[in-house]
Amino acid sequence: MMDAPTWRVGWRWLLLLALVGSTRSEGVQSCEEVRKLFQWRLMGAVKGLPDSPRAGPDLQVCTSEKPTCCTRKMEERYQTAARQDMQQALQTSSSTLKFLISRNAAAFQETLETLIRQAENYTSILFCNTYRNMALEAAASVQEFFTDVGLYLFGADVNPEEFVNRFFDSLFPLVYDHLIDPGVAESSLEYSECIRMAQRDINPFGNIPKRVMGQMGRSLLPSRTFLQALNLGIEVINTTDHLHFSKECSRALLKMQYCPHCQGLMLSKPCMGYCLNVMRGCLAHMAELNPHWHAYIRSLEELSDAMHGTYDIEHVLLNFHLLVNDAVMQAHLDGPKLSEQVNKICGRPIRTPTQSTRCSFDESKEKHGMKISARNEEETLANRRKEFINSLRLHRTFYGALADQLCVNDLAAADGLPCWNGEDIVKSYTQRVVGNGLKAQSGNPEVKVKGTDPMINQIIDKLNHVIQV
């Protein structure tokens, strides 16, 4: 395959060879330049190419009363080339948008992963510095909690309420053993399990578990949905980049792009109105995405707005350790009452000898954890989201304006210049120019558009699901 610069240089060189007489419709005398361009475009010699114009009664699309430089096989190859050109044009048009979304999806996920690690470090540091005796036993629960946070954020089927409850259930036996009723030995596994099960009835941590549930629920869900929506945006673009073109569209593309070559008109460009009819017909189903894409971007704005203040995920995760400390302190202060309640439910503790353990938290992690408290305002997740949304707004009408953009930016001849109307070189296109979208195509003189596209309908359903969340 040739790279883009080689293609452009070679294309221009061959077109310059064909410049003399190539935009005139009096009839070409030789097919040499047509053959050269055809062979180069299709990368290699092709047998049976005519040396001079001749009748083409077997042509299906590039029909003309004038002699032609095309054969049926050339026409078929040109049709394939026209589809490939269109596919490339779609991918080029969407490349900036696709890069914007994919880059921010990756950055957003990476930032969330970093926040989770930082929040876990903060919580581990809390136990190591303040509750050293229970730090090692708490480590597994802390790790499990933040693993569940990550799983939920990145789409796994886990329940925030359940993993918040599981964390505080596992925390209470440690607090009881080390702060409320400390002894020279640990409680037995059976007794610790009884304490764990009693946590929700005794409510040793007050309303803090509910506060954590509320904060986690209201901050994690928008972030999870936001990330899923970004990945859906990439999926939408990937799908439309590889759109299947109907037979009618393929024939119209061939007629617009390559049929002029058969008459030696290799530098001609389609008239603007003609190009718009062909592009709007070929992309009619894609244009139906426009209102849904617009609503999708608006829903991303709303999701981003929901992630602020007390429920900003950055604030919630990086302050989780403070709520854990408040919970432990409250249980410690209520120790005598809690001890009495536990004794009623579980009886007196049955202890087993144990060796005292020391905190082995990696000091390098502690240093890393403390470093992150000084965060640059410019680098916050909220600011990154705001910058992304502002950039994404520029692409709200991407699908509605795509057909027009392709014609205006690249395909069509400039106003006032002679142009190809599908039959000949003319001063202007005289057929009616239709609008965008399926309904407008009923009167399209260049492309017949039938029914709906199941793939586009599926994308619309997915976009609507995100919009409604």
Side-chain angles (χ1 to χ4, degrees):
M1 289 289 289
M2 298 183 184
D3 58 23
T6 304
W7 161 256
R8 285 193 292 268
V9 171
W11 177 257
R12 288 168 184 161
W13 179 77
L14 284 166
L15 287 181
L16 285 172
L17 288 177
L19 183 60
V20 178
S22 66
T23 58
R24 307 180 69 84
S25 59
E26 286 85 12
V28 66
Q29 300 302 311
S30 168
C31 295
E32 183 182 356
E33 306 308 331
V34 177
R35 290 172 61 225
K36 284 181 181 178
L37 190 56
F38 180 83
Q39 289 175 339
W40 184 84
R41 174 67 177 85
L42 299 172
M43 291 177 288
V46 181
K47 292 181 180 180
L49 301 185
D51 294 316
S52 59
R54 63 189 186 185
D58 58 341
L59 297 181
Q60 299 293 302
V61 180
C62 299
T63 56
S64 174
E65 295 178 358
K66 300 172 185 175
T68 178
C69 287
C70 287
T71 65
R72 178 69 185 277
K73 285 189 177 179
M74 288 175 68
E75 189 180 54
E76 290 171 357
R77 299 287 290 273
Y78 273 140
Q79 187 156 41
T80 301
R83 284 197 300 266
Q84 290 172 345
D85 290 348
M86 183 64 170
Q87 203 111 62
Q88 182 61 48
L90 291 177
Q91 291 170 13
T92 300
S93 296
S94 67
S95 59
T96 301
L97 175 58
K98 184 177 178 179
F99 178 71
L100 174 67
I101 298 176
S102 57
R103 181 190 63 188
N104 278 277
F108 188 58
Q109 178 161 336
E110 184 181 350
T111 302
L112 290 177
E113 289 169 350
T114 301
L115 282 175
I116 292 167
R117 287 195 302 271
Q118 292 172 346
E120 184 176 346
N121 281 352
Y122 277 170
T123 310
S124 299
I125 290 166
L126 166 71
F127 282 103
C128 246
N129 288 351
T130 310
Y131 307 108
R132 183 169 288 264
N133 288 340
M134 68 174 86
L136 278 180
E137 294 169 84
S141 296
V142 170
Q143 184 179 35
E144 182 185 6
F145 175 80
F146 285 104
T147 297
D148 285 335
V149 168
L151 287 172
Y152 179 76
L153 279 173
F154 303 132
D157 186 19
V158 293
N159 188 317
E161 184 175 340
E162 289 179 4
F163 63 70
V164 169
N165 275 328
R166 193 158 54 241
F167 174 77
F168 284 105
D169 286 348
S170 64
L171 181 61
F172 183 44
L174 303 181
V175 174
Y176 190 83
D177 259 0
H178 293 282
L179 294 178
I180 296 174
D181 191 11
V184 293
E186 284 186 348
S187 299
S188 66
L189 289 176
E190 293 81 2
Y191 194 79
S192 291
E193 179 63 16
C194 181
I195 297 173
R196 191 186 73 79
M197 296 292 290
Q199 190 271 135
R200 294 184 209 180
D201 293 325
I202 295 174
N203 199 23
F205 304 122
N207 71 339
I208 291 173
K210 285 186 178 179
R211 283 176 61 193
V212 172
M213 269 183 235
Q215 289 187 10
M216 288 289 169
R218 290 185 65 173
S219 66
L220 297 185
L221 180 58
S223 296
R224 169 187 166 111
T225 306
F226 191 80
L227 186 58
Q228 289 174 335
L230 294 186
N231 289 325
L232 174 60
I234 298 168
E235 180 186 341
V236 169
I237 296 167
N238 283 336
T239 302
T240 55
D241 273 355
H242 298 88
L243 189 70
H244 172 75
F245 302 112
S246 69
K247 182 180 178 181
E248 291 79 8
C249 169
S250 296
R251 289 168 67 91
L253 290 172
L254 164 62
K255 189 175 182 181
M256 182 178 79
Q257 293 290 87
Y258 288 105
C259 284
H261 291 207
C262 298
Q263 297 181 30
L265 304 170
M266 289 162 298
L267 285 183
S268 69
K269 281 194 167 190
C271 303
M272 180 61 73
Y274 175 46
C275 180
L276 290 174
N277 276 340
V278 173
M279 290 294 107
R280 288 173 179 178
C282 284
L283 302 181
H285 295 104
M286 201 184 291
E288 295 298 300
L289 282 171
N290 195 54
H292 306 280
W293 182 255
H294 197 288
Y296 160 78
I297 292 177
R298 189 170 62 249
S299 71
L300 285 177
E301 293 180 47
E302 291 169 356
L303 278 170
S304 183
D305 290 342
M307 295 182 273
H308 69 280
T310 307
Y311 299 108
D312 176 76
I313 191 169
E314 199 164 17
H315 174 85
V316 169
L317 289 179
L318 296 183
N319 287 282
F320 172 74
H321 68 290
L322 299 178
L323 288 176
V324 172
N325 186 55
D326 290 345
V328 174
M329 288 295 295
Q330 179 158 338
H332 191 195
L333 290 172
D334 292 341
K337 182 182 74 173
L338 294 174
S339 181
E340 184 180 336
Q341 289 175 301
V342 168
N343 289 340
K344 284 182 181 178
I345 296 171
C346 301
R348 300 295 302 174
I350 303 168
R351 299 188 181 276
T352 55
T354 185
Q355 189 174 4
S356 62
T357 56
R358 296 183 65 240
C359 175
S360 62
F361 186 72
D362 188 346
E363 289 185 7
S364 66
K365 285 186 179 180
E366 180 171 352
K367 289 176 184 176
H368 172 70
M370 292 308 177
K371 276 182 184 177
I372 59 174
S373 59
R375 298 183 63 82
N376 188 327
E377 184 65 24
E378 299 298 321
E379 297 177 354
T380 64
L381 192 56
N383 282 334
R384 289 176 193 164
R385 282 197 311 267
K386 184 177 180 181
E387 183 181 337
F388 165 64
I389 293 296
N390 287 338
S391 298
L392 192 60
R393 282 195 191 104
L394 302 176
H395 300 274
R396 280 179 296 191
T397 60
F398 174 74
Y399 286 106
L402 183 56
D404 299 41
Q405 185 185 47
L406 289 172
C407 289
V408 171
N409 292 350
D410 185 41
L411 298 176
D415 287 343
L417 294 180
C419 54
W420 173 255
N421 70 350
E423 303 291 340
D424 207 342
I425 297 296
V426 296
K427 291 184 178 179
S428 62
Y429 182 69
T430 57
Q431 297 278 7
R432 175 195 170 201
V433 179
V434 300
N436 279 297
L438 277 175
K439 290 182 180 178
Q441 303 313 307
S442 59
N444 193 323
E446 308 300 341
V447 187
K448 290 183 180 179
V449 182
K450 301 175 183 177
T452 58
D453 186 322
M455 192 67 72
I456 296 295
N457 290 341
Q458 189 177 18
I459 291 174
I460 288 173
D461 288 342
K462 288 183 178 181
L463 286 173
N464 287 340
H465 176 71
V466 169
I467 292 164
Q468 291 164 8
V469 170

